[in-house]
Amino acid sequence: MGVLYLTYFTILGLIFGSFFNVVGQRVPKNEMLKESRSYCPKCGYKLNWLDLYPVLSYITLKGKCRNCKTSISPLYPIVEATTGFLFAYSFIRFGFSAELIVALLFTSLLVIITVTDLTYMLIPNVILLFFLPLLIIGRIVSPLDPWWDSLAGGATGLVLTAIIIIASRGGMGGGDMKLFGVIGIVLGLPGVLLAFFLSTLYGSLISGVLLLFKKIDRKKPVPFGPYIVLGALTSYFFKAPIIDWYLHLF
Ligand SMILES: [Zn+2]
């Protein structure tokens, strides 16, 4: 029975991941309701049902548009596969519990933010405002211990990022600050501090490697959102063992 549910959540994640690609690409351009079917940005070819299988379509099309053979961004299948994995992993961790709802909502928010920030260097308010009430309800149904840890976490997320924005003058933006506020509500105070530390760690490590291999330009701004997402996910799923390990160092 476990395998059946696991397959179910993986497929659910793949389908939602495909939808999150569309949301992440369209919401910043206000195109969400404009055209119901996805199309190739190069030749305008409207994708039919054969092109819309998550991950599988990308593999069978060898990453190219069926019509004009323009390369399709690997971001699409990566987002689909990652969402499939995150949904399945959330089920493994929490089973059928109230926390599973929080996990599915939280991972969904983080995946969409990754798409918008990588594509447009933007964390749209609409996305944050859509998930904020849902996550607050999630944290009421599945509260942290103590329950007010959500309030402390949210406030700390906002204040901490605000200080960094003022001190670094452009390292992070207002979108990052609001995102950290939402992340704090889900993770609580220790969790948001860990997420904050991990995002800056991931940011410096990964952008260091990318600079080394000249994959990014030192002078151009890089989106920080994906590092926040990585830090938040690590903290959400592995907060307890990491903090435990850290405390045993002394
Ligand atoms: Zn095309």
Side-chain angles (χ1 to χ4, degrees), residues 13 56 74 103 117-118 126 144 146 160 178 190 208-210 214-215 222:
L56 287 177
D117 211 23
L118 281 178
V126 194
L144 295 172
L160 201 59
K178 285 172 262 177
V209 171
L210 291 175
K214 302 209 161 51
K215 291 280 178 200
V222 275

Side-chain angles (χ1 to χ4, degrees), residues 40 43 65 68:
C40 168
C43 70
C65 166
C68 70

Side-chain angles (χ1 to χ4, degrees), residues 53-90:
Y53 282 101
V55 185
L56 287 177
S57 292
Y58 185 85
I59 295 169
T60 52
L61 290 167
K62 299 198 182 71
K64 292 187 176 75
C65 166
R66 192 186 294 280
N67 186 42
C68 70
K69 308 291 175 211
T70 305
S71 292
I72 304 166
S73 166
L75 183 66
Y76 293 99
I78 291 171
V79 163
E80 290 161 353
T82 305
T83 315
F85 171 77
L86 287 172
F87 276 30
Y89 186 66
S90 298

Side-chain angles (χ1 to χ4, degrees), residues 204-219:
S204 39
L205 284 177
I206 298 171
S207 56
V209 171
L210 291 175
L211 275 173
L212 200 68
F213 290 98
K214 302 209 161 51
K215 291 280 178 200
I216 49 173
D217 190 342
R218 188 181 294 273
K219 289 177 201 98

Side-chain angles (χ1 to χ4, degrees), residues 197-237:
F197 168 74
L198 288 172
S199 351
T200 47
L201 182 72
Y202 289 143
S204 39
L205 284 177
I206 298 171
S207 56
V209 171
L210 291 175
L211 275 173
L212 200 68
F213 290 98
K214 302 209 161 51
K215 291 280 178 200
I216 49 173
D217 190 342
R218 188 181 294 273
K219 289 177 201 98
K220 280 197 193 132
V222 275
F224 198 69
Y227 302 126
I228 300 176
V229 167
L230 282 179
L233 285 175
T234 315
S235 175
Y236 180 66
F237 287 115

